[in-house]
């Protein structure tokens, strides 16, 4: 089981020194107007924009930047590279250095952020000179980077896995990229493709990426392509990103705002589903490309009413939180919500079989195994398969504090069970800070009881 890694908690984390959270359902009766919330900025958009702005020519101003561990470590890495960055209450101002980093050597730290580990190596290798070491947290050092390192090598990068093949830490010896054709599997992580893409305009010649096998969560590649375009670089591609082509170019500084994080919004909308209440996330643009926005379709299928008018998303759960089950679903395209669905599933009226998510065994923890283990600890029947799990209806019975596997989404999903069952206890609740430090405050705003126990 993944032990937590205190070093990866940043100054933007919350719940420092909190050992345990105990959760209780809201006591006021359901009904009444929707509770309205705003989700913080998207992790995926924040870290892409920060890196593109740092590589750009000119000064970018970025508003609604997410303040969480993952984005803190991205900013920290850029500062260690000597990029002038000013973080103020309402914006982050970045003076782009055109892909040449003022500090030509040093150690960079990615925390537990997959986005930093998979996007930074290409960005570093694309510069003309420099020697850096890229390290990550304990959990990040267990996650794969091999296909990315190999693909970047094909277009001229000199990157070495220092300890174990295919794992952090990496040693990057920058001497520019030449471009060329690379064949890269999309079966393990979409982030490898995004990582090659973001660096490729800075190669000497055109770069072509061929993905022969389909991409898990292909929408994240779409987010990368869109943001590169916003920063002035066009990517040619087919509809499912089986082939992508980038010509040499330069990013141009932008004044831009980060959209709300759809993955974060899902926890609050799932709370509505479980409690028969109504929750409105005011700032989630219905036209977003973030795949987790599609989770509301699943909530609809389970009996929720969904309203996407007025620039936000509102979900009302069915009376008494009686959700519909009895279906099988592929979560390949929005696999970060696998655990959220698993938290709803015991309260459905039939089994729910989740498939096509073998790749989430390589996320912050082995999320298939961890979810089955956690549900079973609560007395719920969860059957584990290689690429998914099946959950049967039941009443969760908390009988001890649950591990959270140093995984923000395990913690946030398990906490939701506390919206229906009193006394769900979570160890190391602070792991939510990877993407969502105010999570437990928001649960309180939704009416849940949250009791925090300090260490010792
Ligand atoms: O590119 C991104 O911002 C992300 C891609 C996805 O990862 P994988 O493609 O590795 O599954 C997703 O799970 C992660 O939370 C964010
Ligand atoms: C898989 C996730 O994160 P990362 O960006 O570290 O890959 C996640 O947020 O669920």
């Amino acid at each position: 089981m993944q032990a937590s890694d205190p070093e990866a908690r940043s100054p933007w984390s919350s719940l420092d020194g909190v050992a345990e959270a105990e959760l209780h359902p809201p006591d006021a009766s359901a009904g009444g107007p929707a509770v309205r919330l705003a989700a913080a900025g998207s992790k995926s958009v924040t870290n892409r924009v920060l890196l593109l702005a740092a590589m750009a020519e000119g000064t970018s101003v970025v508003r609604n930047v997410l303040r969480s561990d993952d984005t803190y470590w991205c900013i920290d890495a850029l500062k260690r590279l000597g990029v002038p960055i000013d973080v103020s209450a309402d914006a982050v101002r970045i003076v782009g250095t055109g892909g040449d980093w003022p500090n030509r050597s040093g150690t960079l730290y990615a925390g537990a952020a997959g986005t930093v580990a998979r996007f930074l190596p290409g960005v570093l290798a694309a510069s003309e000179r420099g020697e850096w070491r890229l390290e990550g947290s304990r959990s990040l050092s267990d996650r794969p980077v091999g296909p990315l390192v190999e693909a970047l090598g094909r277009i001229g990068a000199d990157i070495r896995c220092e300890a174990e093949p295919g794992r952090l830490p990496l040693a990057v010896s920058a001497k520019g990229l030449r471009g060329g054709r690379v064949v890269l599997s999309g079966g393990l992580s979409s982030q490898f493709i995004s990582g090659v893409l973001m660096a490729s305009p800075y190669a000497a010649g055109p770069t072509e990426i061929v993905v022969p096998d389909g991409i898990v969560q292909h929408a994240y590649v779409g987010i990368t392509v869109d943001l590169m375009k916003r920063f002035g670089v066009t990517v040619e591609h087919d509809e499912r990103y089986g082939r992508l082509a980038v010509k040499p170019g330069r990013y141009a500084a932008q004044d831009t705002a980060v959209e709300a994080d759809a993955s974060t919004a899902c926890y609050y909308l799932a709370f509505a589903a479980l409690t028969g209440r109504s929750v409105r996330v005011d700032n989630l643009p219905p036209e977003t490309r973030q795949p987790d926005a599609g989770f509301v379709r699943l909530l609809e299928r389970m009996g929720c009413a969904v309203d996407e008018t007025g620039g936000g998303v509102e979900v009302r759960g069915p009376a008494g939180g009686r959700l519909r089950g009895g279906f099988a679903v592929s979560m390949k395209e929005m696999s970060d919500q696998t655990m959220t669905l698993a938290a709803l599933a015991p309260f459905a009226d039939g089994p729910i079989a989740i498939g096509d998510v073998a790749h989430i065994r390589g996320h912050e923890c082995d999320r298939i195994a961890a979810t089955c283990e956690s549900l079973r600890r609560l007395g719920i029947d969860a059957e584990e398969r290689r690429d998914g799990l099946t959950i049967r209806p039941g009443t969760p019975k908390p009988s001890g504090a649950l591990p959270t596997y140093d995984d923000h989404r395990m913690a946030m999903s398990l906490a939701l069970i506390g919206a229906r069952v009193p006394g769900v206890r979570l160890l190391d609740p602070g792991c939510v800070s990877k993407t969502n430090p105010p999570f437990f405050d928001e649960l309180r705003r939704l009416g849940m009881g949250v009791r925090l126990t300090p260490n010792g």
Side-chain angles (χ1 to χ4, degrees), residues 12-15 37-40 66-68 264 268 412 430 432-445 450:
W12 283 351
S13 70
S14 59
L15 308 183
L37 301 170
L66 171 66
R67 287 176 182 243
S68 77
T264 291
Y268 310 134
M412 291 191 279
V432 299
S433 296
K434 183 174 187 287
T435 54
N436 192 14
F439 176 68
F440 290 100
D441 295 333
E442 298 292 32
L443 290 189
R444 282 196 177 111
R445 264 172 37 82
V450 179

Side-chain angles (χ1 to χ4, degrees), residues 30-98:
V35 179
R36 300 173 74 147
L37 301 170
S42 153
K43 161 198 78 172
S44 296
V45 175
T46 297
N47 279 359
R48 283 168 171 79
V49 166
L50 290 170
L51 293 170
L52 296 178
M55 292 177 89
E57 322 273 351
T59 300
S60 292
V61 178
V62 190
R63 279 162 282 107
N64 201 37
V65 161
L66 171 66
R67 287 176 182 243
S68 77
D69 293 341
D70 275 11
T71 57
Y72 178 89
W73 294 119
C74 188
I75 291 175
D76 179 75
L78 292 173
K79 284 184 174 167
R80 292 189 201 197
L81 287 169
V83 177
I85 301 189
D86 175 57
V87 180
S88 66
D90 57 346
V92 174
R93 179 182 291 269
I94 303 156
V95 182
T97 59

Side-chain angles (χ1 to χ4, degrees), residues 43-44 48 115 119 189-191 217 220 336 359 363:
K43 161 198 78 172
S44 296
R48 283 168 171 79
T115 47
F119 301 164
S189 169
S190 67
Q191 292 176 349
Q217 309 206 74
Y220 283 102
D336 288 356
H359 62 284
H363 277 177

Side-chain angles (χ1 to χ4, degrees), residues 235-309:
V235 180
E236 278 174 35
H237 58 84
D238 58 4
E239 206 192 325
R240 298 291 286 191
Y241 312 112
R243 184 188 159 276
L244 303 115
V246 184
K247 294 200 180 82
R250 285 279 176 268
Y251 296 122
Q254 297 299 310
D255 186 332
T256 186
V258 174
E259 66 184 39
D261 195 302
S263 314
T264 291
C266 286
Y267 301 103
Y268 310 134
L269 301 175
F271 166 88
L274 281 168
T275 56
R277 285 153 197 263
S278 188
V279 173
R280 181 177 176 79
V281 179
D282 272 326
N283 60 343
L284 187 62
E287 71 283 1
T288 177
R289 265 192 190 271
Q290 294 174 67
D292 290 10
F295 192 64
V296 295
R297 299 279 81 79
L298 208 44
L299 294 178
E300 236 168 9
R301 182 173 181 183
M302 296 178 79
C304 298
V306 175
D307 175 6
E308 288 169 288
T309 56

Side-chain angles (χ1 to χ4, degrees), residues 150-422:
E150 203 180 301
L152 290 169
R154 292 261 154 73
I155 57 171
D158 179 353
I159 304 176
R160 259 183 326 106
C161 297
E162 282 199 334
E164 240 188 277
R167 297 286 183 271
L168 259 47
L170 302 179
V172 183
S173 204
K175 44 177 84 92
L177 298 174
R178 43 168 196 272
R181 184 172 188 270
V182 352
V183 179
L184 179 52
S185 164
L188 204 51
S189 169
S190 67
Q191 292 176 349
F192 302 152
I193 299 158
S194 291
V196 177
L197 271 178
M198 286 167 72
S200 54
Y202 286 65
T207 304
E208 184 189 8
I209 306 171
V210 176
V211 185
D213 53 354
I215 305 172
V216 293
Q217 309 206 74
H218 85 288
Y220 283 102
V221 174
I223 294 174
T224 306
V225 167
D226 278 3
L227 290 171
M228 286 172 66
K229 189 167 174 200
R230 192 176 309 166
F231 279 78
V233 168
T234 307
V235 180
E236 278 174 35
H237 58 84
D238 58 4
E239 206 192 325
R240 298 291 286 191
Y241 312 112
R243 184 188 159 276
L244 303 115
V246 184
K247 294 200 180 82
R250 285 279 176 268
Y251 296 122
Q254 297 299 310
D255 186 332
T256 186
V258 174
E259 66 184 39
D261 195 302
S263 314
T264 291
C266 286
Y267 301 103
Y268 310 134
L269 301 175
F271 166 88
L274 281 168
T275 56
R277 285 153 197 263
S278 188
V279 173
R280 181 177 176 79
V281 179
D282 272 326
N283 60 343
L284 187 62
E287 71 283 1
T288 177
R289 265 192 190 271
Q290 294 174 67
D292 290 10
F295 192 64
V296 295
R297 299 279 81 79
L298 208 44
L299 294 178
E300 236 168 9
R301 182 173 181 183
M302 296 178 79
C304 298
V306 175
D307 175 6
E308 288 169 288
T309 56
V313 177
E314 186 169 326
V315 167
R316 178 176 291 281
R322 277 183 292 277
L323 296 164
R324 277 200 295 271
F327 59 82
V329 61
S330 166
M331 290 297 281
K332 179 177 173 187
E333 293 290 350
M334 49 168 159
S335 41
D336 288 356
Q337 295 310 315
T338 303
M339 295 74 70
T340 322
L341 177 58
L344 300 180
F347 306 101
D349 61 7
I352 295 181
I354 301 175
D356 293 336
V357 289
H359 62 284
I360 71 172
R361 292 189 185 271
H363 277 177
E364 281 80 334
C365 67
D366 177 340
R367 286 175 163 173
I368 297 179
T371 302
C372 289
E373 201 171 272
S374 305
L375 289 172
R376 286 185 201 132
R377 280 178 200 262
L378 291 164
I380 296 299
D381 181 352
E383 182 194 321
E384 181 173 347
R385 295 187 309 281
R386 187 193 61 82
D387 76 335
L389 65 161
T390 299
I391 302 136
R392 298 200 169 74
T395 304
K397 292 181 191 62
S399 68
L402 297 169
T404 49
Y405 305 84
D406 201 18
D407 183 343
H408 55 141
R409 299 201 193 285
M410 285 303 299
M412 291 191 279
S413 302
L414 292 171
L416 286 174
I417 294 176
R420 282 288 284 269
V421 178

